[in-house]
Amino acid sequence: MNQSEARSLGIDMLERSYGRWWLMLLDGLCFIALSIFAIFFSNQAITLLVFVFGVYRGIMGIIYIVSALVLRSKYGAEVGFSLGRGIFSLIICAIFLLVPNVIVSFFIIIIGIWAIITGIFLLIISANSGTAGRIAKIVLGVGFIGFGIYAFINPMGPANLIVIIVGIAFGILGLFLVIQSIGMKRTFSQIKKVKRGFEDYHVE
């Protein structure tokens, strides 16, 4: 896969995953809020974080589904990926809220899986940036993968430390999503300007 194809794949994955730039912004802000909660309230242990994360994914799942249905109804857009993301988020919400004790037991391993998947995703879309952005995404991707592997090797590490590390990871991901959403908004604005230019051009 060359750089152009990788860039196209990264853009396509982001657009299919979020559809709207403000959904990515909202997701990023929520991750930052979770990060602050995890870092400053680590003594509340993992149970409360599991509950908060479950509620958060449920809210985001509903937003994803509603947004996807509106986009399909209003513009006839293909929203299968976004709709699937919303349904998956609701499933995660149900599991986290209905069987929290089971989730707590395997929380670190679950976070490890999430970190590895996120790291791989960041590596895939790293081509969707300039040199500095590409390096940052590669470093973050490798860091997330490394943290995921650590979670598998030592899942019984100090709970508070793990929660703080998770909080830092959430914060980094949240900042990345916020920055990426701003870039997506800028791109959409440019597309609208070009489209408006074509609409204003008339051949007589």
Side-chain angles (χ1 to χ4, degrees):
M1 178 184 296
N2 58 39
Q3 182 174 343
S4 178
E5 291 175 340
R7 178 184 176 87
S8 297
L9 176 60
I11 294 174
D12 184 64
M13 290 179 67
L14 285 173
E15 289 181 349
R16 286 179 176 272
S17 180
Y18 287 93
R20 294 287 188 175
W21 68 269
W22 55 266
L23 276 177
M24 184 185 294
L25 176 64
L26 180 60
D27 216 4
L29 293 176
C30 287
F31 269 113
I32 292 174
L34 284 174
S35 169
I36 295 173
F37 174 82
I39 292 173
F40 292 99
F41 298 94
S42 58
N43 291 330
Q44 301 293 330
I46 298 176
T47 304
L48 191 55
L49 184 60
V50 167
F51 174 78
V52 172
F53 187 80
V55 172
Y56 153 64
R57 287 320 309 174
I59 295 173
M60 291 305 300
I62 293 173
I63 293 176
Y64 288 144
I65 292 174
V66 172
S67 177
L69 293 177
V70 170
L71 284 174
R72 185 173 64 180
S73 174
K74 190 173 181 180
Y75 301 106
E78 177 59 43
V79 295
F81 196 95
S82 183
L83 193 62
R85 181 187 178 90
I87 294 174
F88 179 74
S89 292
L90 290 180
I91 293 174
I92 293 297
C93 167
I95 294 175
F96 271 59
L97 296 183
L98 295 178
V99 286
N101 292 333
V102 175
I103 295 300
V104 169
S105 300
F106 297 97
F107 182 74
I108 301 303
I109 294 178
I110 292 173
I111 290 296
I113 295 173
W114 167 81
I116 291 174
I117 293 174
T118 300
I120 293 173
F121 177 76
L122 287 174
L123 292 179
I124 290 174
I125 66 171
S126 62
N128 185 30
S129 298
T131 302
R134 186 182 305 114
I135 293 175
K137 290 175 185 176
I138 291 175
V139 171
L140 288 176
V142 172
F144 273 109
I145 293 173
F147 170 72
I149 294 174
Y150 169 76
F152 278 101
I153 295 176
N154 186 27
M156 300 307 293
N160 286 352
L161 177 60
I162 293 296
V163 171
I164 291 174
I165 293 175
V166 170
I168 294 173
F170 279 177
I172 293 173
L173 180 61
L175 288 174
F176 166 75
L177 290 175
V178 169
I179 294 172
Q180 200 72 21
S181 69
I182 295 173
M184 181 181 288
K185 182 179 185 298
R186 188 180 299 116
T187 300
F188 285 169
S189 298
Q190 292 173 351
I191 292 174
K192 286 182 178 179
K193 288 181 180 178
V194 173
K195 183 178 179 181
R196 190 178 302 115
F198 277 113
E199 291 174 348
D200 292 340
Y201 180 75
H202 298 284
V203 177
E204 296 181 358

